[in-house]
Each structure stands twice: as structure tokens, then as C-alpha cells.
Amino acid sequence: MARILVVDDSRTTRKILRKMLENRGHEVVDEAANGEEAVAKYKEIKPDLTTLDITMPVLDGIGALKQIIDFDSNAKVIMVTAAGQKHKVMEAMKANAAEFITKPLLEEEVMERIDRVLQKAND
């Protein structure tokens, strides 16, 4: 199973994602509450996959995504977005996000997208 970094400024969202991932046998290796922490932790841990909220303080998800991809062009990053942020999703996809998930988080959708990204990485 995958080693995953969960990034969201909402402690509740991090907790929900952690539970979903661990229920499916994945290991949440760390969490971050903003983009700056996310980039630092990514460089330190080099997880198999990162979930990254788009709207966060200090450094937003798009900025963090760009820095992570600059550091590791093979990074697998799934963006987490609130409904109605279509322009942000397009920007993230252009910056090489692997996939995106919309809040509220539905376990089946989250796991389907995570499995798809991990499958592609193993093909």
C-alpha cells in the first residue's frame, strides 16, 4: 500500500482523509496544515502520494504543487477542492496535478481516484 502525505488547513478534513486511507490499508506518513509545511514535509518524506488542499494560508495548494513538482517531477499529487473552484482545478491540472477530489469527501470517490493515480504510477 501507499505512503501518503495529507495536507489541509482543516484538522477535521485531515482526520477524515486519514481514516479513509488507513481503512484501505494505506499509511498516512504525515500531515501538514499549509502549503509551506507541505513542501518541506514532501522533501523530507518523499511520499508515494500527496493529497493537497487548494485553499490554505501561507502558501496555497497551487503554489505548493508547483514547488513539489519542481522538486520531484514524478510526484503524485491529488488536489482537494471545494465545489465551485473550477478555475483553480484547471490551474492545478496545468501544473501537473495527477487528479482532483471535491469536498464534501465521499469515501468511494476519494478511494477510486487515489487507486487510479497509484495504478497509473505502477503501470
Side-chain angles (χ1 to χ4, degrees), residues 76-102:
K76 306 288 173 269
V77 182
I78 296 179
M79 304 306 289
V80 179
T81 174
Q85 290 188 308
K86 200 171 200 117
H87 64 288
K88 292 274 193 192
V89 169
M90 298 310 294
E91 195 179 340
M93 297 314 272
K94 283 185 196 147
N96 285 335
E99 188 58 86
F100 69 93
I101 300 166
T102 310

Side-chain angles (χ1 to χ4, degrees), residues 49 76 78 98-99 113-121:
L49 182 88
K76 306 288 173 269
I78 296 179
E99 188 58 86
R113 300 210 176 176
I114 284 174
D115 291 344
R116 189 181 320 151
V117 170
L118 292 171
Q119 186 63 45
K120 268 191 228 166

Side-chain angles (χ1 to χ4, degrees), residues 1 6 23 88:
M1 288 289 121
V6 174
N23 285 346
K88 292 274 193 192

Side-chain angles (χ1 to χ4, degrees), residues 25-44:
H26 295 293
E27 178 190 359
V28 175
V29 288
D30 210 341
E31 296 180 6
N34 65 57
E36 205 170 81
E37 277 181 30
V39 173
K41 289 184 178 196
Y42 185 91
K43 289 177 176 181
E44 180 189 325

